[in-house]
Amino acid sequence: MDSRHTDEREAHINWTKVLTIGLIPILLIFVGFFLVVKSIGTESYGDIVGFIDEKFGMLGIFLYVFIVDTLIMPLSPDFVFPIVAGMPWFEVIPVIGLASAMGGWASYFIGRVLIKVPLIDKWVEKAKDKWGRYIDRYGIVFVILSTLTPIPFSTVCMAAGAVKLPVRKVLPCCLFRILRMGLYYFLFRLGLVLV
């Protein structure tokens, strides 16, 4: 069989499967958030949010999202939504959106620059092996999709750096992450209203 046809078949993405699997964690977080707030009450929830805001502030929230969206780790920036849903949107969305976009930028440069460092190259190669063929096929569109969908954002950005997608294209695309963070924020905010 022609290797080009094999590569095309391997680069085909089952979007329904990716979105379904990716939406399961956010759905579980949302349902858990809804049930907890329903059981403890909105006043107690407000006290918890106030405590977290007082102890960690927006800088703590920014750092959490930035680190999670920079590194490939078993955490998600989505865990921040139950905490920030009770905070004003005009404060939260720019902070978490920019933190996430900047995390993607950092991941891109990790993939681009540090692939030659022996301790990190295996980590970056893993991201490149998993997502590089999709980036080769779909290019910048795949990076944009990772900003908006459950496709692992930091992994895709790292792979984009490893396959040397142009920086002038990748960095602006990461700003779409602000839109995703805004949509998820309002989803959780709606959950507070429904409680």
Side-chain angles (χ1 to χ4, degrees):
M1 179 179 264
D2 186 351
S3 66
R4 200 176 100 208
H5 292 306
T6 304
D7 290 342
E8 284 178 14
R9 200 172 303 145
E10 287 176 6
H12 177 71
I13 299 171
N14 183 339
W15 292 107
T16 306
K17 182 179 177 184
V18 167
L19 292 174
T20 303
I21 291 170
L23 289 174
I24 290 171
I26 191 67
L27 184 62
L28 291 174
I29 294 168
F30 180 76
V31 169
F33 166 68
F34 184 80
L35 293 174
V36 167
V37 173
K38 189 125 177 106
S39 69
I40 66 171
T42 53
E43 190 174 314
S44 294
Y45 168 76
D47 292 342
I48 293 168
V49 169
F51 174 79
I52 290 171
D53 192 23
E54 182 181 314
K55 291 291 181 188
F56 303 104
M58 282 295 159
L59 179 60
I61 291 167
F62 177 92
L63 289 173
Y64 171 78
V65 173
F66 174 77
I67 290 167
V68 168
D69 272 346
T70 296
L71 304 174
I72 299 171
M73 52 193 335
L75 290 173
S76 170
D78 298 335
F79 291 131
V80 81
F81 291 110
I83 296 165
V84 300
M87 297 176 180
W89 70 268
F90 52 87
E91 291 177 10
V92 171
I93 294 172
V95 168
I96 63 177
L98 285 174
S100 185
M102 290 171 70
W105 297 341
S107 285
Y108 173 85
F109 287 112
I110 288 172
R112 184 80 182 242
V113 176
L114 299 181
I115 195 167
K116 296 175 182 144
V117 176
L119 293 175
I120 298 174
D121 69 335
K122 289 179 184 141
W123 188 33
V124 176
E125 278 297 326
K126 197 174 188 181
K128 184 179 173 184
D129 288 345
K130 184 162 186 173
W131 298 103
R133 65 180 180 260
Y134 301 115
I135 292 169
D136 284 339
R137 180 169 181 170
Y138 299 106
I140 209 68
V141 172
F142 194 73
V143 177
I144 293 171
L145 287 172
S146 77
T147 67
L148 300 171
T149 66
I151 295 170
F153 178 61
S154 60
T155 308
V156 169
C157 288
M158 193 174 290
V163 299
K164 297 183 179 164
L165 218 58
V167 68
R168 63 181 166 65
K169 292 182 178 180
V170 174
L171 297 190
C173 290
C174 289
L175 293 173
F176 280 97
R177 199 68 171 169
I178 297 169
L179 178 62
R180 179 188 185 273
M181 294 304 198
L183 290 172
Y184 278 40
Y185 169 85
F186 285 114
L187 172 70
F188 278 85
R189 185 73 176 198
L190 179 63
L192 275 179
V193 172
L194 296 176
V195 172

